[in-house]
Amino acid sequence: MSVPISQMWTVASYVLKQKLLGRKRYPLVLMLEPLFRCNLACAGCGKIQFPVEILRKQLTPEQCFDAVEQCGAPIVSIPGGEPLLHPQMPEIVAGLVKRKKYIYLCTNALKLEKSLSQFQPSKYLTFSVHMDGPREEHDHAVCREGTYDIAVSAIKAALKQGFRVTTNTTLFEGAQPERIRGFFDEMMALGVEGMMLSPGYSYEKAPDQDHFLQRNQTYRLFRSILSAPKKAWQFNQSPLFVEFLKGNHDLECTPWGNPTYNIFGWQKPCYLVDEGHTQTFDQLLKEVEWANYGTQSGNPKCANCMVHSGYEPSAVNETFSSLGGLWKTAKLTLFGPPKSNRPLPQLESEDRFDDPHSPQQPEEKQTKLPVLQ
């Protein structure tokens, strides 16, 4: 099982409580960004495009704890930037564990192996290691050779010391399904708890704008990758979200489900779209015109987005909203995905991605961005 029973029970009881209280909008995962700086400069990333003076700023532990209390979500994801560059990250994690929050510390693992002694294994702490496919694809995506091997070594060390470890994989145009399937085998052989998948979001400021997936491209790619999935594969995601990635299930974005807090405050409206900030979580819920976001809104920024931070909470919400949602999730969990896929929708724009088995790889592209140690 990819998620411990205690965590599943905590999330289920939390969601059911929100339902009983009649809350239409509630957070599931707090995206806590304590800093933006990173020791990599990935071509598809739009998170490290700030001036150096901003990249040097970071949240204090007290600011992190206050955001957690304001939000109340049972899960805290700590992305970045690279969280392990924060000198007080062990203190932040210890404080969240004390509050019995389930933590996913997202890391490229360059500093992980040397940092393990600063943390204590706990059911509340998971290292979520950024792995964008097999060695060649991963090193290309992060624009530095050797990072895959460093990450694998860190995963092995963390598992040996009793830490929970998952992987998170962002896929772009040009991904080869058979190689990604082989990558899943490699990660499971290492012993990771589960894998998280997501299509890349087209950050406006990302240096590489040529390889983001359009919606039908995403459907075709994930159908090919996830056809006849192996029983050994464990995904750290809702079955409904996985079917959504394949175009077999409809979900609408719930951007309030994974709210973001960073050095500027609460980001409006979500982790991926930056249109200002509020100083409190209550202000975020009240001030954002939520109808302006998601695919049904017609907002071009949302047209091709199928990222887990917007749609995973939608899948969880649907699971516990009705007996039908609960039954569908249970069926997918017990019996696996359907044998056939439903027809793809006809979209206004033509996709550039015609064959998910295409052997073509993205052109070599190295981009120089601020990299702070």
Side-chain angles (χ1 to χ4, degrees), residues 60-334:
T60 66
E62 291 71 25
Q63 287 175 307
C64 293
F65 301 149
D66 180 63
V68 167
E69 296 300 332
Q70 285 188 49
C71 180
I75 299 175
V76 179
S77 176
I78 307 180
E82 170 50 52
L84 292 179
L85 292 177
H86 196 303
Q88 294 174 289
M89 187 50 57
E91 180 182 346
I92 292 170
V93 167
L96 297 181
V97 169
K98 185 178 180 179
R99 289 164 172 79
K100 296 184 178 181
K101 300 295 182 181
Y102 285 92
I103 308 149
Y104 285 86
L105 194 158
C106 306
T107 176
N108 58 39
L110 293 184
K111 290 175 63 68
L112 177 57
E113 193 164 352
K114 293 181 179 180
S115 301
L116 289 175
S117 61
Q118 302 176 51
F119 300 91
Q120 293 294 324
S122 167
K123 71 176 184 179
Y124 294 109
L125 172 62
T126 301
F127 289 112
S128 179
V129 180
H130 178 78
M131 299 291 282
D132 281 346
R135 180 180 288 102
E136 291 181 9
E137 287 87 333
H138 175 80
D139 287 357
H140 177 87
V142 302
C143 301
R144 185 186 298 182
E145 292 184 4
T147 55
Y148 180 90
D149 292 332
I150 293 172
V152 167
S153 177
I155 289 172
K156 291 179 179 178
L159 291 170
K160 185 176 181 180
Q161 294 184 34
F163 288 97
R164 294 178 59 190
V165 181
T166 61
T167 60
N168 64 82
T169 300
T170 305
L171 296 176
F172 298 89
E173 184 186 47
Q176 298 181 53
E178 287 306 315
R179 286 184 58 78
I180 299 301
R181 290 171 66 89
F183 163 74
F184 292 167
D185 293 336
E186 293 173 16
M187 294 301 101
M188 290 291 98
L190 285 177
V192 301
E193 184 177 288
M195 304 176 289
M196 186 174 71
L197 304 175
S198 188
Y201 176 75
S202 54
Y203 285 107
E204 293 178 346
K205 294 182 179 180
D208 182 359
Q209 291 291 319
D210 297 329
H211 297 102
F212 289 113
L213 293 164
Q214 297 181 29
R215 187 162 285 252
N216 269 2
Q217 292 175 290
T218 298
Y219 294 148
R220 293 178 187 138
L221 177 60
F222 281 90
R223 285 183 178 188
S224 186
I225 291 173
L226 298 172
S227 62
K230 297 182 181 180
K231 291 184 178 180
W233 296 349
Q234 295 291 327
F235 296 103
N236 190 33
Q237 290 170 307
S238 163
L240 293 182
F241 177 73
V242 175
E243 288 305 295
F244 165 71
L245 290 178
K246 295 159 61 180
N248 292 330
H249 187 76
D250 295 323
L251 291 172
E252 184 55 29
C253 180
T254 50
W256 58 83
N258 283 24
T260 296
Y261 184 78
N262 56 40
I263 61 172
F264 299 119
W266 295 92
Q267 183 168 303
K268 299 189 297 185
C270 68
Y271 176 62
L272 299 168
V273 179
D274 184 353
E275 295 184 349
H277 298 78
T278 66
Q279 294 308 301
T280 70
F281 179 67
D282 285 341
Q283 287 177 320
L284 178 75
L285 288 182
K286 294 175 182 178
E287 293 181 10
V288 173
E289 294 292 337
W290 299 108
N292 294 339
Y293 304 96
T295 54
Q296 293 183 2
S297 70
N299 189 328
K301 293 182 180 180
C302 306
N304 291 305
C305 179
M306 297 177 65
V307 179
H308 63 91
S309 60
Y311 291 93
E312 181 68 46
S314 309
V316 173
N317 179 68
E318 182 174 329
T319 296
F320 294 102
S321 290
S322 66
L323 289 176
L326 188 61
W327 171 239
K328 184 164 187 176
T329 299
K331 276 200 308 182
L332 289 168
T333 302
L334 294 172

